[in-house]
Amino acid sequence: MMYLKNTNDTSWDAILDNILTMDASDEIDKFLKNNKLTVGTTYGAEQTSDIRKSNIGWILPSPETHNIFDCIATAIQSVNTRKFGFSLTYIENIQYSEYKDGGHYTWHPDSKISSADGDIRKLSFSLLLNDDFEGGELELFVGAKPTVIPLKVNQIAIFPSHVLHRVTPVTSGQRDTLVGWVHGPNFV
């Protein structure tokens, strides 16, 4: 089911629930069992814990991960058709992100409106994998003040990649998500 923040559909995000199938969840479990996470950085820079504090792993498309990509692609296609209408070309490798106690990511966009090569990130997504933590809220900054995006387990938030967003510090437990970006041609 698709939830929009208001009936006028002027929100900058969409939330869908029941995204991952059991097969996709099993693929995530296998990925975590077989891969070591690394410290998250920003666009190839060294780790700066005042900007970002998380551990990450990259999930690449393969026969062993096709259910993950299929579930997410179906959600994105549904939201894009009903809400955004962007010209989209592909989903980047998906990032598994783990935010332990104190983990966060300060305000940032994932993309600009245009790039020199003509291809940009158009949509960003965050899929919540667990709920046994406190803090760690996803917030978008559009308008006068930040808006909390209230995600539950197995829900995905999809929003334009140029929108400022952050993950507030986790105060207890560990927040686990799949995040990613969908590319398309420049807007301008």
Side-chain angles (χ1 to χ4, degrees):
M1 173 175 249
M2 182 172 167
Y3 298 98
L4 298 177
K5 291 175 69 168
N6 62 54
T7 57
N8 294 328
D9 198 11
T10 59
S11 64
W12 286 86
D13 67 290
I15 299 172
L16 281 76
D17 53 9
N18 301 318
I19 301 304
L20 298 174
T21 62
M22 289 300 292
D23 288 337
S25 295
D26 290 345
E27 289 175 358
I28 294 168
D29 291 341
K30 287 178 189 172
F31 169 81
L32 291 172
K33 183 178 179 183
N34 296 323
N35 292 275
K36 184 178 178 184
L37 301 181
T38 60
V39 174
T41 61
T42 57
Y43 293 106
E46 291 184 25
Q47 167 67 15
T48 316
S49 62
D50 57 329
I51 296 172
R52 179 180 191 180
K53 184 179 176 187
S54 64
N55 295 313
I56 65 168
W58 293 100
I59 302 173
L60 284 60
S62 72
E64 292 78 28
T65 61
H66 76 92
N67 287 301
I68 298 168
F69 279 85
D70 288 350
C71 291
I72 290 172
T74 299
I76 288 167
Q77 183 177 17
S78 173
V79 167
N80 189 53
T81 298
R82 295 179 188 174
K83 185 170 181 73
F84 298 112
F86 294 163
S87 175
L88 303 174
T89 52
Y90 69 94
I91 299 173
E92 278 186 50
N93 296 335
I94 296 171
Q95 184 181 106
Y96 172 86
S97 296
E98 138 189 306
Y99 295 85
K100 295 183 179 181
D101 196 16
H104 67 280
Y105 200 155
T106 59
W107 291 111
H108 66 283
D110 291 331
S111 181
K112 299 176 181 175
I113 298 295
S114 65
S115 70
D117 68 2
D119 182 53
I120 59 166
R121 291 176 172 175
K122 284 192 163 178
L123 290 175
S124 296
F125 63 85
S126 181
L127 179 89
L128 190 63
L129 300 175
N130 69 319
D131 62 1
D132 52 346
F133 64 92
E134 293 181 20
E137 295 175 315
L138 173 64
E139 295 183 339
L140 302 184
F141 202 110
V142 288
K145 62 181 183 175
T147 302
V148 173
I149 307 303
L151 288 177
K152 296 178 183 167
V153 173
N154 205 16
Q155 284 187 327
I156 192 170
I158 301 171
F159 54 92
S161 297
H162 63 271
V163 171
L164 283 175
H165 58 284
R166 72 176 175 182
V167 175
T168 63
V170 171
T171 56
S172 70
Q174 177 176 305
R175 177 185 192 267
D176 300 325
T177 59
L178 296 182
V179 297
W181 310 274
V182 187
H183 282 245
N186 282 342
F187 285 111
V188 292

